[in-house]
Amino acid sequence: MWKLTTPVLGYVLALDALALVVVVATAALVPITAQALLWCGLILAGEIVHLEAAQRIERIRELAADGRPHMHLQSIWIFAGLLLLPPPLATLVIVVSYAHSWVRVYKRRGVIHRKVFSGATVILACAAAGAVLTTGTGHFAPYVPYLDGFGGMTALLASGIVYFGLNYVLVIVAILMSNPGKPPRQAFGNPSDVLIVLAAVGVGCGIALVMTVRPWLLPVLMVTPVALHIGLLLPQFQAAARTDSKTALLAPEFWVQLARSELARAAELSSTAGVLMIDIDHFKAIDDSNGHLAGDEVLRAVAAAIQGSVRGGDYVGRFGGDEFVVLLPGATSTEIAAIADRIRTAIARVEVRVPVIRPGKPEVIAGLTASIGAAVYPETATEYTILLQAADDAVFEAKAAGRDRVILATTRSELTRPEIPDAL
């Protein structure tokens, strides 16, 4: 924790301290009854059983969420505790939940300050959501008996939004401050992950209601959180199969699948499509001179430059080594040439700080160039393999002509692969 930059450390410690102030300030708001202790015991038991059943799945999900907010299903039990328990017991549920996660999911390997910070953000989010519920119902916890009619539904929805929104914003700010060099949009995670928290809040409401009316049904509801966890793991595997691990672009096999589908759609709609093949000039020299770690950083930086230069519906993939491919659905020859030149210009602006500096080598790699071949469906070819080969041949033509340029392929039958005077 003490290796964090001063602004990040100050932010983390300030939120931890604020959460502690909130815990102390709300400790005496609601008396702790025997009924509240029973509910607290049931919620803690449910949380422990749930995480024990899904700890391996949660471990994979936490690793996959590195650098992005981790949407977890602990909110099921935390939100149920918010609806039923006095603030001190609700805080106890949060503390036990995160401590249990640190021991069983993280296996006590460092990062304890992250768990403390995450717990602090949840405490603050619960306090804000509790204030909304108190305002909407006119009562303190337990809130469930007073959540009736349209007013109760409105208060419950508003509290769920505040609970998720405040926690999300506080975590996003910390991620952005801790990773100034990464694309900001990465910190926001996958928008579909929001459904995870909404599902958790919904199930938490159901658990709180069941506990006040029919507590013996709680074991039946335990199936739902575990089933949700298993369902959440499938997208992680799908994303891993579709994404290149080094550049976060589309994996070659998945890009080819999408390209074939888009070309078939273009044929049905009598539309157009473009394919770009992008090759970094003299990349082998960069790799050999600066090392593979530096080469990997260059690949990631170039991938980001390409991704930032295309349109929203275009598909960018890594084709292998230092080659990238882009599919441009619906693009004309003029648009394809303009986008390709925009990519070439963006790559020329890339500057990469070398992770391991070798003697006599610069700290920053700059002055990159790329040779780009473009092919147009159906103008260049109407079949995927021929179209891609045309773009690839155009890359060789660009290299033979001096590199750092875009060549638009003609018809496939007219293309030849020229000799290149020096190494790629």
Side-chain angles (χ1 to χ4, degrees):
M1 182 178 72
W2 303 111
K3 294 180 181 179
L4 297 173
T5 62
T6 301
V8 178
L9 179 61
Y11 178 73
V12 168
L13 293 179
L15 285 188
D16 289 348
L18 183 59
L20 185 60
V21 170
V22 168
V23 169
V24 174
T26 58
L29 282 179
V30 182
I32 297 176
T33 63
Q35 179 69 75
L37 289 172
L38 175 61
W39 283 337
C40 182
L42 290 174
I43 290 173
L44 289 176
E47 183 278 325
I48 291 170
V49 171
H50 171 203
L51 190 59
E52 286 298 314
Q55 61 164 301
R56 292 186 179 181
I57 299 173
E58 190 65 7
R59 175 62 178 163
I60 294 174
R61 293 190 63 245
E62 289 223 36
L63 288 173
D66 185 41
R68 298 182 297 273
H70 171 53
M71 308 295 185
H72 55 71
L73 289 175
Q74 289 168 288
S75 292
I76 291 175
W77 309 102
I78 292 171
F79 202 76
L82 167 66
L83 294 176
L84 291 176
L85 304 177
L89 295 183
T91 300
L92 177 63
V93 170
I94 296 170
V95 171
V96 171
S97 179
Y98 277 91
H100 186 199
S101 175
W102 181 65
V103 171
R104 298 295 289 162
V105 175
Y106 270 103
K107 305 296 184 181
R108 301 188 185 92
R109 286 180 286 203
V111 301
I112 187 170
H113 72 275
R114 293 186 185 179
K115 284 296 178 185
V116 173
F117 174 76
S118 297
T121 63
V122 172
I123 288 173
L124 294 174
C126 283
V132 171
L133 288 168
T134 298
T135 302
T137 63
H139 296 81
F140 289 112
Y143 299 105
V144 174
Y146 309 105
L147 295 174
D148 196 16
F150 180 78
M153 181 192 70
T154 302
L156 184 60
L157 288 175
S159 68
I161 292 172
V162 169
Y163 169 80
F164 166 73
L166 182 58
N167 186 22
Y168 183 72
V169 169
L170 293 176
V171 171
I172 289 296
V173 170
I175 293 175
L176 290 174
M177 293 175 67
S178 302
N179 302 277
K182 293 185 178 180
R185 62 183 176 183
Q186 179 179 327
F188 291 89
N190 192 330
S192 63
D193 286 346
V194 173
L195 295 176
I196 297 174
V197 177
L198 295 180
V201 169
V203 175
C205 292
I207 287 176
L209 180 61
V210 165
M211 289 179 62
T212 58
V213 181
R214 296 289 188 273
W216 54 272
L217 286 175
L218 185 59
V220 178
L221 286 183
M222 285 298 303
V223 178
T224 304
V226 177
L228 281 173
H229 246 124
I230 295 173
L232 290 174
L233 189 58
L234 181 60
Q236 302 287 349
F237 287 144
Q238 289 177 332
R242 295 175 177 179
T243 305
D244 174 61
S245 60
K246 190 166 290 185
T247 63
L249 298 178
L250 298 177
E253 297 81 3
F254 187 54
W255 186 90
V256 169
Q257 178 185 334
L258 290 174
R260 290 183 182 277
S261 298
E262 285 293 342
L263 291 178
R265 183 179 302 172
E268 292 176 2
L269 301 176
S270 298
S271 183
T272 60
V275 170
L276 301 180
M277 182 75 76
I278 304 164
D279 192 289
I280 305 174
D281 294 328
H282 303 297
F283 179 75
K284 187 176 186 301
I286 296 173
D287 224 7
D288 292 343
S289 299
N290 299 278
H292 293 298
L293 292 178
D296 291 347
E297 291 297 328
V298 169
L299 289 177
R300 279 188 278 271
V302 170
I306 297 172
Q307 189 72 68
S309 302
V310 299
R311 305 169 303 174
D314 298 333
Y315 303 107
V316 182
R318 185 182 177 208
F319 209 65
D322 60 328
E323 288 186 320
F324 301 88
V325 282
V326 181
L327 180 68
L328 308 161
T332 63
S333 297
T334 303
E335 291 172 328
I336 292 167
I339 294 170
D341 198 60
R342 191 160 67 231
I343 291 172
R344 185 188 62 80
T345 303
I347 291 174
R349 294 187 183 129
V350 167
E351 293 184 354
V352 180
R353 186 166 294 279
V354 180
V356 179
I357 303 173
R358 292 185 172 182
K361 299 298 179 181
E363 295 184 10
V364 176
I365 297 174
L368 298 172
T369 62
S371 299
I372 303 177
V376 187
Y377 171 92
E379 182 180 321
T380 306
T382 57
E383 200 273 323
Y384 162 79
T385 304
I386 299 176
L387 189 70
L388 192 66
Q389 185 63 59
D392 191 35
D393 285 349
V395 169
F396 277 81
E397 187 176 344
K399 287 183 176 294
R403 297 181 170 82
D404 190 23
R405 64 195 63 218
V406 177
I407 295 293
L408 185 62
T410 55
T411 58
R412 179 68 186 95
S413 59
E414 299 172 354
L415 289 172
T416 58
R417 177 165 293 184
E419 292 296 327
I420 301 173
D422 53 358
L424 297 181

